[in-house]
Amino acid sequence: MSDSLTRILFQKLVTMSGEDYEKGELVVDQGRIVEARSGTHGSFEGITHDWSDCLILPGFVNAHCHLSLSGLHGKVARQERFVDWIESVVTENAALSWRDRVDALHREAQTLIESGVTALGDYFSHPELLVEYQALPFRQVLFLETLGFQSALAGEKARSVEELLQEHPAGTGSSIRLAVAPHAPYSVSPALFRDLKKLTDKRGCRYSCHVAEVEEETRFLSQGDGDFLELLKKRKAYDSSWKSPGLGPVRYLEQLGVLRDMVAIHLNYLEKQDLARLAENNASAVFCPGSTRWFGRKTWRPVKDLLDRGISVGLGTDSLASNDSLNFLDEIRLSEEMLPELHRSDILWLATVGGSQALGIEKLGLEPGQPADLIGFRFSKSEEDWWDLPFGLDRQQVDFSMISGVLRIILQITLIVF
């Protein structure tokens, strides 16, 4: 008998990928699911956790985050112009001490764990932080965020990214995979886009970009002027040889040959044929409801239209420079408010399987052979629909989570005011 053999009793288990089970047991060994079934065996030679009053779901996937910006919480104000917000982030981020950056990263990682996140897609720009990410329990896809609008610097920047990928290869069983993220169409040159795409194709790693986030992005690409031109010149990052392609962001990336297999973040401003372009290029998408609301956006991605096209869509928190919280339960509640065309069960699919598909991580469900990454919610009444449990307005934490077979019981804190 394996020392790691564990059984969890449950009231209901929803796999999000196949058959569901009632009043049964889930058996885990060596961090992976061995069996899920309705009913229980009479005896069991291992550790049993009795959660027979609970719903079990696959763990949440935060498909887009910037944990290393967590120390900016409350330091960056909303701005009327997006470029002014960018400049504020750059200034405050440069002033953040290393200790404060690391402390905030770990503190907010705990917020993610307590709110049910078991897998993470994160943008980072400090390779020195890899040792901190390695201390986190999540299954992670870490995107090295890369900027550079001057074409002459493309080769040097791409070589730097490749060196990092070579220095930190993901070994068998590794919980971290490195990936590549050209920042955005207004901050990355055509040459650098192409070099980074060649690199990801060569190494077989994931590839992501902020795309069509604001109207100013479309203006810059289609007309070659506006706020982003002003920002690039002010920061001495503009390339005078660059010519406006006269296209929207998605068409521009397709024309460059870099849209295929991209994880596109935001996609708030799409043209008529962009859905077809994304589907034809096997792109996936991540919706960040909290960040979208924080900015006061009036337009956001058409999630149901993307799903109807067969495009994988996940949910992300974005950063605390553009969100009030990294609590993932807040994100799913806000998703329901912003996406009324989706049922709660659909939103939970986005938060689990949709995110894992978007990130290209190992299939996450609750089937034999899959990683034991799961979360539990206690039923308050027997007739309660399972999909309602995570949406409770007073719920800020899951009741327990398991990441790679390691169980974490989340202590529920109740404040009593005298």
Side-chain angles (χ1 to χ4, degrees), residues 4 27 34 46 60 101 105 112 127 144 160 289 298 334 381 393:
S4 65
V27 179
V34 175
F60 293 141
R101 186 182 305 279
L105 183 151
L112 295 178
L144 181 63
S160 177
K298 303 301 182 185
L334 191 52
K381 48 186 183 294
L393 294 178

Side-chain angles (χ1 to χ4, degrees), residues 151-221:
S151 293
L153 300 177
E156 176 187 343
K157 286 182 173 291
R159 283 191 295 275
S160 177
V161 173
E162 185 167 23
E163 287 173 3
L164 182 68
L165 296 177
Q166 291 172 339
E167 290 171 8
H168 300 276
T172 302
S174 172
S175 64
I176 291 181
R177 286 167 45 198
L178 292 189
V180 177
H183 173 259
Y186 56 80
S187 59
V188 174
S189 69
L192 183 54
F193 260 121
R194 291 191 178 106
D195 284 350
L196 293 177
K197 181 64 174 125
K198 288 178 184 176
L199 176 58
T200 59
D201 289 345
K202 171 185 172 182
R203 300 193 66 88
C205 59
R206 212 61 175 165
Y207 170 72
S208 181
C209 184
H210 301 98
V211 182
E213 182 176 3
V214 292
E215 288 181 288
E216 293 92 330
E217 181 180 333
T218 299
R219 175 172 174 172
F220 176 65
L221 294 174

Side-chain angles (χ1 to χ4, degrees), residues 110 114 396-400 408-414:
Q110 186 61 31
E114 292 175 358
Q396 292 298 306
Q397 300 171 316
V398 299
D399 288 294
F400 68 88
R408 290 171 170 80
I409 299 174
I410 309 300
L411 296 179
Q412 302 296 325
I413 300 174
T414 302

Side-chain angles (χ1 to χ4, degrees), residues 59-106:
F60 293 141
V61 180
N62 185 351
H64 181 67
C65 188
H66 297 256
L67 263 183
S68 64
L69 297 183
S70 296
L72 301 188
H73 191 202
K75 296 182 178 181
V76 179
R78 296 171 179 83
Q79 303 282 349
E80 184 175 343
R81 297 198 314 160
F82 186 64
V83 293
D84 292 336
W85 174 83
I86 290 175
E87 289 206 272
S88 179
V89 169
V90 171
T91 299
E92 293 295 340
N93 192 36
L96 191 65
S97 75
W98 189 255
R99 185 71 266 159
D100 286 346
R101 186 182 305 279
V102 169
D103 288 348
L105 183 151
H106 287 284

Side-chain angles (χ1 to χ4, degrees), residues 384-396:
E384 196 168 12
D385 290 321
W386 67 265
W387 51 75
D388 289 336
L389 269 64
F391 288 86
L393 294 178
D394 59 345
R395 178 175 282 281
Q396 292 298 306

